[in-house]
Amino acid sequence: MSFYSLTSTFCAGLNQINGVEGSCVRVQAGVKLADLRDYLAKQDSSVDGPGYLSALVTEVTYVGEDGCLVVLSLAEDPSALLAFTCSYGMMGIVVEAVLEVRRRIAVTTTAYAFMTRSGEDAAAHLAQAHAFSDALFAILVPGSDHLYIEARSKASSSAAQLARSAALSAVIMRTLGVNNLVKAFMQRTKYSCFLQGAPLGRAMAMLLSGANPPTTHYRSAFVNRYPAVQPGSRRLDFSFVEFDLPQLQSVVAECWERHFEFKDRTGWAPSGYGVYFVPRGWTQQRALQHNVSGAKVLAKPCGNFSGPPGVSFMLDPITGDCDDPRWLQFNLEYSAWAVSRGATPSLSQSKGLLPGQAGLPRHLTRSRFLTPHYAQFVE
């Protein structure tokens, strides 16, 4: 599982699901999200949360600097737990976590394709899609003037009933969700070996022709199993960057211009940009569910998705040729630009990040676990 904000240790052996406990599930740190999805689906449940893993965590057990087990929980000390989720594993090695779950909710996904002649045009489409959907994932491709959007909303009761059919769900799991846009995108950029499963040969053409009707399914359809990366094999790479929603129009417009400027200067540019939106902070309702006095105390103290409640959007450059030295050059420039625009990078997922462009508070580190990479960002 992607506990990248919690632990930096490889936990392939700690992969057990220890069972559901009320509205939560207890798992070991190395559990795979796809295995957890399958386990919870049998109980008509799924993981809960606004879209990033640390928001699901209600309790964590880790090995501290002195070798002893430490348990942090929302019930006992929410501030300590939330601080730990910002430590990138530099406070200890996670061995077990408790995550929120909820009943499975059917969603309806509708795919759109737009011809976009400018960054302002793309931003307008993104803003409109975000306003009229519960969640969305998009791929912006300035090089071909295309914007592909998958908009997702809670399904109607009749559509949700259809999604409960095991046979229908099996078809949907093979043909929708992130699989749809990413697999089609990878085919379009000739790197379809990245994901397992049957290819969606004409998916992009279907989007452009409008032959892609809304489909109802469960959120678990977005969970993929990825093959191991072999030496020399092409793979998809990206760089994570988080912006605040009010910046959408200006940031997308500037990114569009920078894309073509870099292409003209170097003869190379990313294949596209992944765009998605994530709410920050906890609602009052969730705070009350955990017997915490208010949502304010549940705000992350630093790093990604911290600060006051609101909405963040990500604008992540994507490439299928990460060995090209121009990819690193692009990210050095892209990260510097993003930080200058007030973006919050990730110390584990942002490429080309330099000391001074992001920080890790010293009190969230322990010398025994601090690696050279993270040490350069300690402040």
Side-chain angles (χ1 to χ4, degrees):
M1 180 171 277
S2 180
F3 280 112
Y4 62 82
S5 60
L6 305 180
T7 183
S8 61
T9 304
F10 185 64
C11 299
L14 291 170
N15 59 1
Q16 299 301 304
I17 300 170
N18 294 331
V20 173
E21 303 175 1
S23 61
C24 298
V25 61
R26 186 176 295 272
V27 300
Q28 292 183 334
V31 69
K32 293 182 179 179
L33 188 56
D35 292 336
L36 181 59
R37 170 203 66 187
D38 295 342
Y39 174 87
L40 293 174
K42 295 176 182 177
Q43 305 180 52
D44 201 26
S45 300
S46 67
V47 288
D48 192 13
Y52 53 99
L53 183 65
S54 63
L56 312 178
V57 178
T58 63
E59 181 183 300
V60 65
T61 301
Y62 70 95
V63 180
E65 190 171 29
D66 59 0
C68 296
L69 290 177
V70 180
V71 179
L72 300 175
S73 70
L74 282 179
E76 298 296 329
D77 194 342
S79 297
L81 175 62
L82 290 166
F84 183 83
T85 66
C86 302
S87 69
Y88 292 96
M90 298 299 102
M91 291 180 66
I93 301 172
V94 174
V95 295
E96 188 176 74
V98 177
L99 312 176
E100 283 190 82
V101 298
R102 65 176 179 184
R103 289 190 62 81
R104 287 203 299 174
I105 297 176
V107 296
T108 295
T109 293
T110 305
Y112 303 92
F114 299 97
M115 294 295 295
T116 53
R117 300 300 183 186
S118 67
E120 290 83 358
D121 188 23
H125 286 306
L126 287 167
Q128 184 178 35
H130 175 254
F132 289 98
S133 60
D134 295 332
L136 68 83
F137 176 73
I139 294 179
L140 175 63
V141 191
S144 62
D145 297 334
H146 285 159
L147 173 65
Y148 305 101
I149 295 177
E150 281 188 351
R152 305 157 188 165
S153 299
K154 185 177 180 180
S156 65
S157 57
S158 58
Q161 185 65 32
L162 288 174
R164 294 188 183 99
S165 163
L168 178 60
S169 295
V171 174
I172 292 167
M173 291 281 285
R174 290 196 301 268
T175 60
L176 220 85
V178 166
N179 283 351
N180 192 349
L181 275 182
V182 174
K183 282 185 179 179
F185 179 73
M186 295 305 290
Q187 284 187 347
R188 188 176 180 279
T189 52
K190 301 180 182 178
Y191 304 119
S192 58
C193 59
F194 176 68
L195 294 175
Q196 289 179 325
L200 302 178
R202 298 185 179 138
M204 287 299 184
M206 290 173 64
L207 286 174
L208 291 171
S209 67
N212 196 61
T215 311
T216 299
H217 55 99
Y218 291 110
R219 277 181 47 177
S220 57
F222 303 135
V223 179
N224 296 287
R225 292 186 185 274
Y226 299 94
V229 176
Q230 302 299 324
S233 63
R234 290 192 180 277
R235 60 185 177 87
L236 184 69
D237 199 11
F238 72 98
S239 184
F240 175 97
V241 184
E242 175 194 356
F243 294 93
D244 198 25
L245 182 59
Q247 297 178 287
L248 181 66
Q249 185 75 31
S250 60
V251 164
V252 173
E254 287 184 34
C255 175
W256 182 281
E257 295 300 324
R258 292 181 64 85
H259 176 93
F260 288 105
E261 186 279 329
F262 190 86
K263 178 67 177 292
D264 291 342
R265 176 159 46 91
T266 68
W268 184 94
S271 304
Y273 301 80
V275 186
Y276 47 102
F277 299 78
V278 174
R280 298 189 305 271
W282 282 50
T283 64
Q284 189 68 31
Q285 180 181 4
R286 290 187 78 199
L288 292 173
Q289 288 174 351
H290 292 279
N291 299 317
V292 180
S293 59
K296 184 177 180 180
V297 75
L298 291 171
K300 292 183 67 176
C302 60
N304 296 117
F305 311 117
S306 60
V311 177
S312 296
F313 76 93
M314 274 45 69
L315 187 62
D316 302 346
I318 303 169
T319 185
D321 194 6
C322 55
D323 293 328
D324 192 310
R326 291 170 293 187
W327 171 235
L328 176 58
Q329 180 185 349
F330 176 87
N331 279 306
L332 286 167
E333 298 181 20
Y334 190 81
S335 291
W337 164 74
V339 170
S340 74
R341 297 290 279 106
T344 303
S346 166
L347 298 185
S348 62
Q349 296 189 93
S350 297
K351 306 292 192 302
L353 200 60
L354 300 176
Q357 294 176 342
L360 178 61
R362 186 172 297 278
H363 71 276
L364 297 182
T365 68
R366 302 292 182 269
S367 58
R368 182 176 181 180
F369 303 112
L370 188 60
T371 65
H373 168 73
Y374 290 103
Q376 62 185 325
F377 296 102
V378 171
E379 57 186 16

